[in-house]
Each structure stands twice: as C-alpha cells, then as structure tokens.
Amino acid sequence: MALLSILKYPDPRLHTVAEPVDEVDEATRCLVGDMAETMYAAPGIGLAATQVDVHKRVIVLDISESKDQLLVLINPEIVASSGQIECEEGCLSVPGIFEKVIRAEEIRVRALDRDGITFDFDASGLLSVCVQHEMDHLEGKVFVDYLSPLKQERIVKKLRKAERLAI
Ligand code: GNR
Ligand code: NI
C-alpha cells in the first residue's frame, strides 16, 4: 500500500468528473487499499478518488470511532433520498475550513463492493452526509461550491496564504 497525495482546493483537477469503473480488478483493489491508508493517515472519515487525482468512481469511508469499519463504494448511485439535514462539513482538500451545508437526510445507496458485487444500504445522519460529500467529489464538486461567492473568495485567499506559509 502507499500514501497518496491529496489535491488542495482550488486545484482545477478537483473539478474533473470521474469515469465509472468497468471492471473491479486487482488495480481497483490496489487503489482502494491506497485510498484507505491515505484516509486513515490524514485522518479523515471519507476520501474520493478525485482527491488523489484518480478520476474513477471509487470512494472509501469510515465514520466509526474505532476506525475499523471501512466502507468501499464503487460506481455508487443514490437510488432514493428524503428530508434535509444541515451539517458542518470539512474536507481534506480544503484544510481548516468548516462550513454548514444542507443535504438529504436519508438516502438509499447502491454500489459495487471490493469484489465487484452490487449491494444496497440506507444511510442517515453523518454517513448520509459523508456519502453525498464524496459523491459530489466524483462529479467534480467540492462543498465550497455551495457557499456564497464572497465565502469562496475568502477560502481561496486563506488557503493560498496557508500554502505560502507552508513552503
Ligand atoms: O474527513 C472528513 N470529514 C467530514 C466532516 C463532515 C462532512 C464531510 C466530511 S468528509 C471529510 C473527508 C473528505 O474530504 N472527504 O472527501
Ligand atoms: Ni472532501
């Protein structure tokens, strides 16, 4: 396994729309392993392939306290959704920024697992928010895109400054 580097907003590559995985093979499982290692090391509760500059529809998530409940979603779809939930979101590609975003409260998700088998599950609360946040990444969307232009501008300035100080 290997640690992958995470693209930082406003990197234009974060706006790439990911391609479906046509076969869940060894290369896909290798990507999943590297993404999981990268997510746990960050640490984060989710990671989309887009964030590591791989434009395939692959997501890893783990919202458990014990960090031993890895969820792998390949070619995920939201097949039903209801309600609204507002959650303060953060993103490994937008370090140090936390803003409220409104999402569907309950969703039904269909995806392929690590073995290429289709499965369905219902998600609510943080898991629902996290799945929607990760699926947005696969569409080239970052949570900052939901904020006002003024907030977006402030975030870009803050991240550019942090980047300068880090060099
Ligand atoms: O680690 C993460 N935490 C988080 C908190 C609230 C809502 C969404 C997230 S996802 C984020 C990891 C990440 O950037 N995934 O794309
Ligand atoms: Ni994110």
Side-chain angles (χ1 to χ4, degrees), residues 11 21 23-25 33 37 41 46 48 50 60 65 78 84 92 100 117 121 125 134 144-145 150 164:
D11 192 309
V21 171
E23 196 196 344
V24 180
D25 55 14
E37 188 183 355
T50 309
V60 293
E65 204 79 43
I78 293 176
Q84 278 197 349
L92 295 171
K100 285 180 179 168
I117 310 291
F121 65 99
E134 304 312 337
V144 174
D145 299 341
L150 179 62
R164 273 203 314 278

Side-chain angles (χ1 to χ4, degrees), residues 46-48 51 90-94 133-134 137 142-143:
L47 189 71
Q51 292 176 278
C91 180
L92 295 171
S93 296
V94 195
H133 175 114
E134 304 312 337
H137 278 303
V142 181
F143 82 100

